[in-house]
Amino acid sequence: MLEIKDLRVKLEEEDKQILKGVNLTVEAGKVHAIMGPNGSGKSTLSYVLSGKDGYEVTGGSATLDGDDLLDLDPEERAALGLFLAFQYPVEIPGVGNMTFLRTAVNSQRKARGEEAMSSTEFLKEIRAKAKELKIDAEMLKRPVNVGFSGGEKKRNEILQMAMLEPRMCILDETDSGLDVDAMKLVADGVNALRNEGRGFLVITHYQRLLDHIKPDVVHIMADGRIVKSGGPELALEVENNGYADILAEVA
Amino acid sequence: MNALLKSKQEAAATRLDSASLPAAAGWSKAAREDALARVRSTGLPSRRDEYWKYTRPDALTQADATEADVFKSDEPLVFDSFDRLKVVFVDGVFSAELSDDLALEGIEIARLAEAADISWASELYGTLEAKGQSPVERPLAALNTALATDGVLIRCTKTPSKPVSLIYRRDSTTADAMLHHVVKVEAGASLTLLENGPGAARLNKCLEALVADGAEFHHVRAQGRDHARSAATHMFVELGRESVFKSFTLTVNGKLTRNECVIEFTGDDAIAHVAGAALGDGDFVHDDTVFVTHDAVNCESRQVFKKVLRNGATGVFQGKILVQPGAQKTDGYQKSQSLLLDGDSQFLAKPELEIYADDVACSHGSTSGAIDEDALFYLRARGIPEGIATDLMTLAFLAEAVEEVEDDALKGEITGRLEGWLLRHSRA
């Protein structure tokens, strides 16, 4: 599904290489996790895949079911079914959460040549999905993420994911700033979306999120490369011994 | 005599030589002659006036209107779906045929050009305008008092069942219109006045309003999408005790618009909010100039002006709050913000506070900035195309000004129009 080959990326503004040849394939129905120390390039990978400005691809490729992602605008990537759950969801004063989500759903449908979702249908869907994530109606009426707690912002990300039904979901440090209960709620939301046709790439510092969202494959990223891949036991190894041992081993 | 004043007086003399007092001036003759003398003495505005530093007044002061194409659209006019009393002007001339019957319970409406001597109006005509000439001269308003050819006199004694709606249709490419309205809202009454349409190729419009004790005056204006026209408008509003004045103006397009609003609190515990949302593209110039004088205790004033500018558009805000000695417990705030969608557009702001009382809360906030790139990316990452994402953020930015419209249906009308115009543009 998501195929990344020898991806090399530098910052546009300064001569700093962040990704130095990333190779990664996420198959449909699988959950891959990327772990790694600060500054290893995990978040950069998520931004480059979703199309944020400020990065220059100097080599390699990234495709989603064969479509070249790197040439597309962020909205085109989204319409193809790519979704990034942000580490820091952005507050947008004045834009209502409902208006935002409905515009997003229908923009994607339009781009794919599908019928727009009617407002009745949309309301029904969003109410049901918000309820599962314990998001109250008041939160839906508020401007996007404005005045939301850390946990509410992350739940709002998962709600968006549930409404947009992407094929490939990237979760960038979705556990940061969450207490155990909030993390459980978010993980339940993600698990409910797991199915055979959907791939996940879960970026995290800590193993604890992976207790709730069980990965099929765990990758360790360091200095802009995937340095080791393995099963879920690799995450436990990090939890117990830190990154130092693994990095020493591959060095 | 200094050279600047001399040249301004000469400009006034030239302009007035080709004009004459309307024949039917009658009861307003004295006020008109007085205004004429004021224009002759102050002269017409010049680029070198401090008050016209940011907006070139030439198109407004020159002898004739610049020829301007008429904007055509098949969409219904703003407020068309509302139950209201329509008063229609075509190129600045009242049209009895297009207007409703002017009779409405609780209100008296007369046409300026035809009115016999109405004592309340003759006491007001030109009075608030003359008062508003100090401490800053507003010669275009004096010129209007002197030469206005049409307009309405509205006296509201009770709260009428529907708004009065002044519609300014524009058919001619060269019409030079001068309209003058006088409004008196009597104690305890409440009037909603709607205005929409471009008016004329060149429009000089003046509105004087006296809001008596405990009265309310709500004003919602949409200046039309006509781009080629130019306009100078003045509102002079005097507020009595515990009265309320709320004004909102929507301006989309317009090569030159100068909207001046002069508010004076003369009675305690009154409220005045004046707001504007403007959307400009290309050679758009829009100037909001506001002067609020607090001369009473415990009054609240708000100025909320928002402008979205692109492709080299220019926005200007000059806002002043003057708190006179003794006007304690004044609560005054002014906010002027612009969203610059590109590097070619500019926003010029001059907020001023002048305070002679010690127990007041007065402040201002003026900002101008580009669209928030992080927010834009967030919206796009969810599949919203850049144009629509920009429009959503534009609407969000203007919403604070639109919020000042108190009536929900009218607020919805303004928001709906803005959405329609913006989203059509980005979907095209």
Side-chain angles (χ1 to χ4, degrees):
Chain A
M1 168 164 280
L2 177 67
E3 209 162 339
I4 303 169
K5 284 186 186 158
D6 195 30
L7 185 62
R8 292 162 190 273
V9 172
K10 71 181 264 297
L11 290 181
E12 226 163 48
E13 297 286 304
E14 45 184 308
D15 196 22
K16 191 177 172 194
Q17 197 75 25
I18 310 286
L19 300 184
K20 301 174 179 172
V22 174
N23 287 290
L24 179 69
T25 302
V26 180
E27 308 82 6
K30 301 289 183 197
V31 174
H32 284 231
I34 296 186
M35 302 182 75
N38 283 329
S40 57
K42 304 187 301 293
S43 285
T44 296
L45 178 63
S46 72
Y47 284 143
V48 169
L49 290 175
S50 52
K52 194 173 163 83
D53 280 344
Y55 302 98
E56 189 186 327
V57 176
T58 55
S61 67
T63 57
L64 183 64
D65 289 333
D67 286 313
D68 181 4
L69 288 174
L70 301 177
D71 268 352
L72 301 176
D73 284 334
E75 54 268 33
E76 293 172 318
R77 301 180 196 204
L80 277 181
L82 185 78
F83 182 92
L84 169 66
F86 283 62
Q87 181 180 4
Y88 303 109
V90 182
E91 297 188 8
I92 313 181
V95 177
N97 221 3
M98 292 281 247
T99 310
F100 157 61
L101 253 173
R102 197 165 157 226
T103 310
V105 167
N106 284 334
S107 295
Q108 290 202 13
R109 288 188 165 214
K110 191 178 172 192
R112 293 194 291 257
E114 299 164 8
E115 284 269 311
M117 195 188 262
S118 73
S119 32
T120 341
E121 199 185 338
F122 176 81
L123 270 177
K124 210 176 124 195
E125 285 247 346
I126 198 167
R127 280 188 186 138
K129 286 174 173 165
K131 202 174 161 196
E132 283 170 26
L133 288 158
K134 297 199 165 73
I135 290 174
D136 61 37
E138 202 45 48
M139 236 173 97
L140 291 178
K141 282 187 206 149
R142 295 212 303 250
V144 180
N145 294 323
V146 176
F148 287 24
S149 69
E152 286 173 333
K153 282 181 183 169
K154 295 299 171 78
R155 272 184 278 153
N156 199 27
E157 293 293 290
I158 306 304
L159 174 67
Q160 292 165 35
M161 193 193 283
M163 289 300 293
L164 294 166
E165 301 181 330
R167 285 189 291 165
M168 180 67 220
C169 308
I170 304 171
L171 279 71
D172 186 11
E173 310 224 3
T174 291
D175 50 338
S176 69
L178 294 188
D179 61 30
V180 181
D181 292 337
M183 190 160 63
K184 179 85 174 33
L185 202 58
V186 165
D188 288 346
V190 172
N191 288 329
L193 292 170
R194 287 178 73 160
N195 67 29
E196 283 179 7
R198 188 170 286 146
F200 285 86
L201 187 60
V202 179
I203 295 170
T204 182
H205 262 298
Y206 304 106
Q207 195 267 336
R208 56 175 198 169
L209 179 66
L210 304 178
D211 283 342
H212 301 286
I213 304 173
K214 299 251 188 279
D216 297 295
V217 184
V218 174
H219 306 276
I220 306 297
M221 192 162 180
D223 193 27
R225 287 186 193 90
I226 305 277
V227 294
K228 190 170 181 180
S229 301
E233 72 285 353
L234 193 53
L236 286 171
E237 196 184 322
V238 169
E239 182 71 5
N240 295 331
N241 306 328
Y243 290 110
D245 286 0
I246 296 169
L247 298 185
E249 180 191 321
V250 298
Chain B
M1 186 188 295
N2 71 50
L4 172 60
L5 181 58
K6 191 155 181 283
S7 75
K8 287 165 62 178
Q9 287 177 339
E10 281 166 8
T14 312
R15 176 88 184 263
L16 291 170
D17 279 349
S18 59
S20 54
L21 284 190
W27 56 269
S28 61
K29 195 157 182 276
R32 288 174 184 273
E33 280 172 351
D34 180 62
L36 207 54
R38 278 186 274 124
V39 182
R40 288 198 189 279
S41 131
T42 61
L44 288 176
S46 141
R47 184 73 194 260
R48 285 188 287 155
D49 285 327
E50 177 66 19
Y51 219 48
W52 288 86
K53 193 173 169 184
Y54 305 118
T55 302
R56 194 177 280 274
D58 309 41
L60 302 168
T61 56
Q62 71 195 22
D64 297 303
T66 306
E67 193 168 337
D69 289 341
V70 177
F71 173 82
K72 292 216 163 41
S73 164
D74 49 12
E75 76 172 336
L77 295 176
V78 181
F79 311 130
D80 255 13
S81 60
F82 285 75
D83 182 26
R84 65 218 163 117
L85 189 145
K86 286 185 290 185
V87 183
V88 183
F89 297 86
V90 179
D91 291 316
V93 181
F94 174 78
S95 164
E97 191 187 328
L98 296 172
S99 300
D100 291 334
D101 177 3
L102 300 186
L104 181 67
E105 200 188 336
I107 206 164
E108 296 158 19
I109 305 176
R111 187 181 165 193
L112 173 68
E114 287 174 344
D117 189 355
I118 302 175
S119 66
W120 72 265
S122 59
E123 280 164 22
L124 268 183
Y125 188 90
T127 309
L128 299 184
E129 174 267 300
K131 218 170 151 183
Q133 297 287 344
S134 167
V136 189
E137 292 163 3
R138 305 172 200 280
L140 290 171
L143 184 73
N144 181 299
T145 298
L147 303 179
T149 45
D150 222 324
V152 279
L153 312 170
I154 303 174
R155 178 166 172 249
C156 180
T157 50
K158 279 189 282 187
T159 302
S161 58
K162 52 187 172 184
V164 173
S165 181
L166 306 180
I167 298 162
Y168 307 117
R169 201 172 98 181
R170 186 184 155 214
D171 289 348
S172 142
T173 56
T174 54
D176 187 19
M178 232 180 250
L179 291 171
H180 194 114
H181 310 305
V182 182
V183 171
K184 189 176 187 191
V185 190
E186 298 285 6
S190 173
L191 172 70
T192 298
L193 183 74
L194 310 176
E195 292 185 283
N196 72 292
R202 179 169 73 176
L203 175 68
N204 178 331
K205 185 169 67 72
C206 186
L207 186 151
E208 297 178 278
L210 182 64
V211 188
D213 294 351
E216 292 196 17
F217 180 32
H218 296 270
H219 172 247
V220 183
R221 165 166 65 164
Q223 289 182 305
R225 296 168 66 200
D226 206 303
H227 183 65
R229 52 105 193 136
S230 60
T233 79
H234 289 82
M235 279 194 285
F236 297 93
V237 183
E238 189 170 306
L239 289 156
R241 190 172 42 82
E242 291 175 17
S243 65
V244 173
F245 170 56
K246 290 202 174 172
S247 171
F248 169 84
T249 300
L250 173 67
T251 311
V252 177
N253 300 338
K255 258 186 178 164
L256 177 58
T257 310
R258 164 100 162 192
N259 290 335
E260 293 195 30
C261 181
V262 183
I263 295 170
E264 183 167 10
F265 289 101
T266 57
D268 299 344
D269 306 310
I271 292 171
H273 291 196
V274 48
L279 201 56
D281 198 332
D283 58 346
F284 167 94
V285 178
H286 182 91
D287 176 331
D288 285 302
T289 291
V290 182
F291 199 110
V292 180
T293 304
H294 284 264
D295 203 3
V297 174
N298 196 34
C299 292
E300 172 190 301
S301 69
R302 292 281 176 275
Q303 300 170 39
V304 183
F305 288 89
K306 299 263 193 164
K307 296 176 172 66
V308 179
L309 306 165
R310 72 168 118 201
N311 295 326
T314 300
V316 177
F317 173 79
Q318 303 188 100
K320 178 156 182 170
I321 302 174
L322 169 62
V323 181
Q324 298 286 25
Q328 302 296 6
K329 306 284 180 198
T330 285
D331 174 5
Y333 183 63
Q334 51 172 260
K335 183 177 219 173
S336 63
Q337 296 182 322
S338 75
L339 177 62
L340 304 173
L341 294 180
D342 54 50
D344 298 332
S345 303
Q346 59 170 343
F347 177 55
L348 304 152
K350 190 172 75 175
E352 289 178 282
L353 304 175
E354 191 176 332
I355 302 169
Y356 297 101
D358 55 8
D359 183 16
V360 303
C362 268
S363 57
H364 64 78
S366 183
T367 61
S368 107
I371 208 147
D372 179 346
E373 288 296 332
D374 287 335
L376 191 63
F377 174 64
Y378 189 75
L379 296 172
R380 295 180 71 191
R382 294 296 175 256
I384 302 175
E386 188 174 9
I388 296 178
T390 304
D391 289 344
L392 278 177
M393 292 182 64
T394 299
L395 281 170
F397 173 80
L398 295 174
E400 192 183 4
V402 181
E403 274 300 313
E404 288 291 331
V405 178
E406 207 164 277
D407 182 90
D408 284 338
L410 289 170
K411 196 188 303 181
E413 170 79 352
I414 298 291
T415 305
R417 291 305 172 119
L418 269 170
E419 273 174 11
W421 297 334
L422 278 170
L423 298 179
R424 180 175 325 161
H425 155 90
S426 65
R427 278 168 187 163

